[in-house]
C-alpha cells in the first residue's frame, strides 16, 4: 500500500505580508506558474511511491498551501493515528488550523488536545520524526517557543516518545524543516550555521552520518527536500549535494518551487506524510 501524503492546492496562494525574511513582496506571485509547480511536486511524490490526498484551500488563507505547519501527526500502538494541532505565531496562519482539525477528524485521527497558553507550536515545520519513529526533533527560536517544546514534550511523554529540543539561530532557517532533513534511519542533512552549539552536540548523538549543508544551500531550501524510495526531491542541485546523495544511494529529483520560495517555503513545507 502506498503511503499517503497530504497537500493543499495553491488556489489562493499569495504573499500579502512579511512573516519571514524571504517574503519581500517585491516580486508578485505568478499564480499559473505556482499551480504548475505544485502539480509537478505532486507528480514527483507519486513517482516516489506516494498517494496524494488533498485538503480544500480556503479563501483568504494564502499560506494554507504549506500543509506541513498546521499540525503534527503520528502513530503509536495502543493510541492509533493521532494529531496535535498547531498554535501558530501569525493570526492569518492560525486561522488555517481549524480546517486541518476538521480534515483530520473526518479521517479518524485521535486529537491530542494540548493547551499551549501563550507559547507557540508550529507542527511539522518545527517537529520532525526520526525515520524509524524512535524520537521527535523539536526546533525552537523563531516560530515555536521553547515553552511550546516543553509543553508538547510533557504531553507526548505519556506515549513514551522522547523529544530532542534544538535551538535555531539563523532567521533564514526559521523552521527546523529548512535546516534538518533526514535521509534515512542513519543519515541526515544539517546546516550547522542554523543551530546553537548545544543543538549540534545533541544531533551528533542520534545520527551515524551527518552531512553538512552550507548556509547558502540551506537558504536555497536544499535542506527542505523529501527523501523517499531511493529519491530526494529538491528545488536545486549542487555538486556537494550530489556527492552526499550518491553516498546514501539517493537519486536527486529536481522540482522547481521558485514561486513558493518567495513565501519562504519549498517541497517539504508543502506536504505532511500521513502515518
Amino acid at each position: 500500500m502506498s503511503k499517503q501524503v497530504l497537500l493543499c492546492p495553491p488556489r489562493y496562494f499569495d504573499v500579502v505580508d512579511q512573516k519571514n525574511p524571504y517574503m519581500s513582496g517585491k516580486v508578485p506571485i505568478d499564480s499559473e506558474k505556482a499551480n504548475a509547480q505544485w502539480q509537478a511536486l505532486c507528480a514527483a511524490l507519486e513517482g516516489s511511491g506516494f498517494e496524494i490526498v488533498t485538503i480544500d484551500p480556503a479563501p483568504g488563507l494564502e499560506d494554507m498551501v504549506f500543509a506541513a505547519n498546521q499540525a503534527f501527526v503520528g502513530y503509536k500502538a495502543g493510541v492509533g493515528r493521532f494529531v496535535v494541532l498547531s498554535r501558530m505565531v501569525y493570526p492569518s496562519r492560525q486561522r488555517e488550523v481549524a480546517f486541518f482539525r476538521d480534515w483530520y477528524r473526518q479521517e479518524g485521527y485521535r486529537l491530542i488536545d494540548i493547551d499551549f497558553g501563550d507559547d507557540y507550536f508550529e507542527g511539522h515545520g518545527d517537529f520532525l520524526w526520526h525515520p524509524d519513529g524512535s524520537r521527535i526533533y523539536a526546533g525552537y527560536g523563531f516560530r515555536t517557543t521553547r515553552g511550546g517544546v516543553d509543553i508538547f514534550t510533557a504531553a507526548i511523554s505519556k506515549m513514551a516518545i522522547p523529544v530532542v529540543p534544538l535551538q535555531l539561530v539563523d532567521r533564514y532557517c526559521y523552521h527546523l524543516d529548512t535546516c534538518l532533513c533526514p535521509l534515512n534511519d542513519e543519515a541526515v542533512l544539517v546546516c550547522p550555521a542554523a543551530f546553537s552549539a548545544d543543538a549540534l552536540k545533541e544531533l551528533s548523538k542520534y545520527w551515524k552520518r551527518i552531512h553538512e549543508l552550507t548556509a547558502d544551500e540551506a537558504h536555497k531550501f536544499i535542506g527542505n527536500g523529501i527523501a523517499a524510495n531511493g529519491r530526494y526531491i529538491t528545488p536545486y542541485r549542487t555538486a556537494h549535494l550530489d556527492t552526499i546523495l550518491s553516498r546514501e544511494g539517493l537519486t536527486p529529483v529536481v522540482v522547481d518551487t521558485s514561486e513558493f520560495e518567495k513565501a519562504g517555503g519549498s517541497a517539504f513545507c508543502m506536504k505532511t506524510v500521513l502515518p
Side-chain angles (χ1 to χ4, degrees):
M1 182 181 294
S2 298
K3 183 168 270 191
Q4 292 184 326
V5 61
L6 176 64
L7 290 93
C8 180
R11 188 176 308 150
Y12 305 107
F13 172 60
D14 202 355
V15 174
V16 301
D17 55 11
Q18 187 169 18
K19 301 181 184 77
N20 61 62
Y22 301 94
M23 300 177 82
S24 68
K26 295 178 181 177
V27 182
I29 298 297
D30 183 330
S31 296
E32 186 175 338
K33 186 176 180 181
N35 186 62
Q37 291 179 355
W38 184 83
Q39 294 287 352
L41 175 61
C42 289
L45 287 166
E46 288 175 329
S48 299
F50 289 104
E51 176 191 350
I52 305 295
V53 294
T54 60
I55 182 173
D56 291 335
L61 298 180
E62 68 281 351
D63 292 316
M64 196 169 167
V65 66
F66 297 114
N69 305 145
Q70 301 86 353
F72 176 88
V73 299
Y75 174 85
K76 183 70 174 178
V79 177
R81 297 184 303 171
F82 67 87
V83 58
V84 177
L85 299 176
S86 294
R87 183 172 189 269
M88 305 186 78
V89 171
Y90 292 96
S92 63
R93 299 230 58 193
Q94 184 60 27
R95 290 195 294 272
E96 303 166 17
V97 174
F99 294 93
F100 282 82
R101 176 200 62 209
D102 293 346
W103 190 92
Y104 284 112
R105 276 180 173 169
Q106 290 169 6
E107 294 296 315
Y109 282 73
R110 177 178 174 182
L111 175 62
I112 307 296
D113 191 16
I114 300 177
D115 181 4
F116 286 101
D118 294 329
D119 282 293
Y120 295 102
F121 168 85
E122 295 222 343
H124 285 291
D126 275 327
F127 291 75
L128 307 181
W129 285 101
H130 196 94
D132 64 7
S134 60
R135 62 187 56 85
I136 299 165
Y137 301 98
Y140 69 93
F142 295 99
R143 296 294 185 81
T144 297
T145 56
R146 178 58 197 255
V149 173
D150 293 343
I151 293 167
F152 173 81
T153 300
I156 216 77
S157 68
K158 298 171 185 176
M159 295 188 229
I161 304 171
V163 178
V164 182
L166 301 169
Q167 184 181 14
L168 305 177
V169 298
D170 179 351
R171 68 191 187 99
Y172 284 90
C173 296
Y174 60 92
H175 271 157
L176 182 63
D177 67 5
T178 64
C179 50
L180 185 147
C181 184
L183 300 178
N184 52 52
D185 288 350
E186 297 183 349
V188 65
L189 294 177
V190 171
C191 175
F195 294 92
S196 69
D198 287 344
L200 290 175
K201 289 179 184 177
E202 278 298 299
L203 282 171
S204 68
K205 299 177 183 178
Y206 304 111
W207 300 93
K208 289 186 178 180
R209 298 182 299 283
I210 293 179
H211 299 292
E212 296 186 359
L213 295 177
T214 67
D216 183 63
E217 287 174 318
H219 297 168
K220 290 179 178 177
F221 299 99
I222 285 176
N224 194 243
I226 303 166
N229 296 329
R231 297 183 174 195
Y232 186 70
I233 299 171
T234 175
Y236 302 98
R237 288 172 65 180
T238 63
H240 177 221
L241 177 67
D242 285 353
T243 298
I244 294 169
L245 297 181
S246 177
R247 289 174 181 169
E248 297 299 336
L250 294 169
T251 300
V253 177
V254 175
V255 175
D256 182 8
T257 60
S258 55
E259 292 305 301
F260 301 99
E261 291 162 30
K262 296 174 184 176
S266 186
F268 189 99
C269 298
M270 288 192 276
K271 65 95 188 81
T272 288
V273 175
L274 301 176

